[in-house]
Amino acid sequence: MRRKIIAGNWKMNKTRDEALQFIYAISEKLPSLDEVDSVICAPFPLLRTLSKRQGENLRIGAQNMHYADSGAYTGEISADMLTTIGVTYVIIGHSERRAMFNETDETVNLKLKKAFEKGLIPILCVGETLEEREKGHEKKVVKAQLEKDLEGLTKQDIEHLVIAYEPIWAIGTGRTATSEQAEEMCAYVRKVVKDLYGQVADKMRVQYGGSVKVSNIDEILSMPNIDGALVGGASLKAEDFVKLVEAGVNK
Ligand code: 13P
């Protein structure tokens, strides 16, 4: 059985003091990593503060990284900078970065390769816009993203990869995909990866993301192909984050 993975994506939220308050509030309350993987993906300046205090039941992730080892890339962060301060995960290709910061499938692919080379676990985000869904193109769009994003990875990479299916129309809108829509697309993500990489796709974890909250997570996680959630807004409150992670313990 695939262990569930609940990841909070804080986006551009929280100061250091707020992050400290959060981590002290959750540290005694999270279930163990044997039961569920819990991850906080925080802004860069908070990563060291959080990783020092992460304890045995939480892992820390970044929200982006560069694909080069080092060099003249003003404002960018390398994989080594992350691993050496205790970061385990990195979100790659979030739709906000694709839409606002020129992230392309080509850069996503380079970043995934670099993350695996350096021992980070990437959480790759894919998903369609509202317009694409209304035209019935959601599968075509997600398939094209996956084929380009995953090109040249190994089966071993795929085993450790986490993919978050995040329909853009459900992000921050309060408009969650129905659990059936989410399941259909997460199953489709697995099928596309299986066509590319074979049976190892059954070991890979696929999350749903988009307006997940305490009131809907149980239903979403009850679906057979949904192995967790990538949560934005609802991950900012300590007590809600604990409840979201608790929902991921396999019953
Ligand atoms: P919300 O949970 O705020 O809709 O954000 C989802 C998301 O983008 C997580 O990466």
Side-chain angles (χ1 to χ4, degrees), residues 2 133 139 165 177-190 206-208 219-227:
R2 295 180 293 264
R133 176 156 285 256
K139 288 193 173 140
Y165 166 65
T178 64
S179 46
E180 289 76 22
Q181 284 172 322
E183 165 64 14
E184 186 184 356
M185 287 304 290
C186 290
Y188 183 70
V189 165
R190 196 180 307 286
V206 184
Q207 297 174 310
Y208 167 77
E219 194 186 334
I220 288 165
L221 294 185
S222 70
M223 299 314 229
N225 279 288
I226 303 182
D227 308 313

Side-chain angles (χ1 to χ4, degrees), residues 9 11 94 96 166 170-172 209-212 230-233:
N9 175 10
K11 308 192 179 182
H94 191 280
E96 288 154 15
E166 297 205 308
I171 294 178
S211 298
V212 174
L230 184 58
V231 188

Side-chain angles (χ1 to χ4, degrees), residues 5-11 37 39-42 61-63 89-96 122-126 162-167 170-172 176 186 206-213 216-217 220-221 226-235 241 244:
I5 173 163
I6 310 297
N9 175 10
W10 279 0
K11 308 192 179 182
D37 280 318
V39 186
I40 289 287
C41 298
Q63 299 171 10
Y89 290 84
V90 58
I91 296 174
I92 302 286
H94 191 280
S95 58
E96 288 154 15
I123 300 176
L124 164 66
C125 299
V126 296
V162 179
I163 298 182
Y165 166 65
E166 297 205 308
I171 294 178
T176 327
C186 290
V206 184
Q207 297 174 310
Y208 167 77
S211 298
V212 174
K213 41 191 179 283
N216 60 19
I217 193 162
I220 288 165
L221 294 185
I226 303 182
D227 308 313
L230 184 58
V231 188
S235 74
F241 183 71
L244 292 165

Side-chain angles (χ1 to χ4, degrees), residues 9-248:
N9 175 10
W10 279 0
K11 308 192 179 182
M12 196 174 75
N13 289 291
K14 292 200 190 290
T15 61
R16 182 173 183 276
D17 286 351
E18 289 163 350
L20 282 170
Q21 263 176 21
F22 181 100
I23 200 132
Y24 291 137
I26 64 169
S27 59
E28 304 284 299
K29 297 190 184 142
L30 290 176
S32 108
L33 289 178
D34 298 334
E35 296 180 287
V36 54
D37 280 318
S38 60
V39 186
I40 289 287
C41 298
F44 292 128
L46 304 178
L47 293 173
R48 182 67 184 136
T49 298
L50 291 170
S51 75
K52 277 200 293 199
R53 295 168 179 86
Q54 68 193 318
E56 278 311 306
N57 50 7
L58 178 69
R59 291 290 171 260
I60 302 303
Q63 299 171 10
N64 182 32
M65 57 168 243
H66 200 274
Y67 51 80
D69 283 334
S70 63
Y73 300 101
T74 302
E76 291 292 323
I77 300 281
S78 74
D80 285 338
M81 292 174 192
L82 298 176
T83 56
T84 53
I85 59 164
V87 170
T88 309
Y89 290 84
V90 58
I91 296 174
I92 302 286
H94 191 280
S95 58
E96 288 154 15
R97 296 214 61 85
R98 292 179 190 255
M100 292 185 270
F101 303 102
N102 285 329
E103 190 80 86
T104 64
D105 289 313
E106 287 69 34
T107 56
V108 165
N109 177 251
L110 292 170
K111 289 178 181 192
L112 288 175
K113 286 178 180 155
K114 185 55 67 177
F116 281 120
E117 179 195 322
K118 297 292 183 176
L120 287 161
I121 303 174
I123 300 176
L124 164 66
C125 299
V126 296
E128 80 286 357
T129 63
L130 183 58
E131 200 187 343
E132 288 160 344
R133 176 156 285 256
E134 281 173 346
K135 286 189 187 144
H137 291 170
E138 63 273 12
K139 288 193 173 140
K140 195 170 87 181
V141 168
V142 166
K143 182 172 189 235
Q145 286 176 329
L146 288 170
E147 285 175 348
K148 290 187 208 142
D149 295 351
L150 303 182
E151 200 196 319
L153 297 186
T154 66
K155 285 191 181 185
Q156 199 190 350
D157 294 337
I158 298 298
E159 180 175 344
H160 296 105
L161 176 67
V162 179
I163 298 182
Y165 166 65
E166 297 205 308
I168 294 167
W169 46 272
I171 294 178
T173 58
R175 180 178 167 186
T176 327
T178 64
S179 46
E180 289 76 22
Q181 284 172 322
E183 165 64 14
E184 186 184 356
M185 287 304 290
C186 290
Y188 183 70
V189 165
R190 196 180 307 286
K191 179 197 172 307
V192 171
V193 177
K194 201 176 269 188
D195 290 345
L196 294 170
Y197 286 95
Q199 289 301 324
V200 72
D202 285 329
K203 295 190 181 162
M204 180 191 77
R205 292 178 294 179
V206 184
Q207 297 174 310
Y208 167 77
S211 298
V212 174
K213 41 191 179 283
V214 173
S215 59
N216 60 19
I217 193 162
D218 282 335
E219 194 186 334
I220 288 165
L221 294 185
S222 70
M223 299 314 229
N225 279 288
I226 303 182
D227 308 313
L230 184 58
V231 188
S235 74
L236 293 168
K237 269 179 68 184
E239 63 198 77
D240 284 3
F241 183 71
V242 171
K243 286 185 192 145
L244 292 165
V245 173
E246 282 171 348

